[in-house]
Amino acid sequence: CDTGVADDDEVDRVADLDLISQRFVPMDAGRVVRIADMSGRSRNYDLKMSDGSQRSAIGIALSHRCDLMVAVAQGEGAAPELQRQALAFLASEEMHRWMTASLGGH
């Protein structure tokens, strides 16, 4: 609770990328992100799908007080573009309202 999302290992653990593919590899170090009233980290990954195709993914872990919110996106495009689109979606007014309501209105 006190440290929020402290490091990339935590993003790796909570993003559950293994539910998409057992073969995922971080592309680089994660980044600090802030969305709505939550802060945390995002990290880009390379995925090798069961059919042999390659995909990009982003794991985002955000905390607010003792609550944790996780978002994962995957696609065929380049990781930086996927990250840009995922963060823009999470920063939208609709998502801000949903996140606030999901966290009990705080």
Side-chain angles (χ1 to χ4, degrees):
C1 260
D2 296 333
T3 61
V5 180
D7 55 36
D8 289 341
D9 289 338
E10 187 166 3
V11 178
D12 294 347
R13 278 192 311 277
V14 301
D16 288 335
L17 286 159
D18 57 324
L19 297 175
I20 300 171
S21 172
Q22 293 290 321
R23 295 172 288 182
F24 65 92
V25 178
M27 295 177 68
D28 47 25
R31 296 165 191 75
V32 173
V33 293
R34 183 161 180 80
I35 299 171
D37 296 330
M38 296 179 285
S39 61
R41 297 186 66 78
S42 69
R43 193 167 196 194
N44 294 330
Y45 300 87
D46 278 328
L47 302 176
K48 186 168 185 178
M49 306 306 286
S50 60
D51 67 0
S53 64
Q54 293 291 130
R55 299 279 175 100
S56 297
I58 179 171
I60 303 166
L62 303 164
S63 65
H64 179 73
R65 299 183 186 152
C66 289
D67 293 318
L68 177 68
M69 185 166 295
V70 177
V72 177
Q74 64 91 14
E76 295 177 0
E81 178 61 17
L82 182 64
Q83 181 179 39
R84 186 192 68 71
Q85 289 181 16
L87 292 173
F89 175 73
L90 292 174
S92 70
E93 186 61 33
E94 295 84 5
M95 285 303 298
H96 182 98
R97 283 194 302 272
W98 179 82
M99 286 186 262
T100 300
S102 294
L103 296 172
H106 344 319

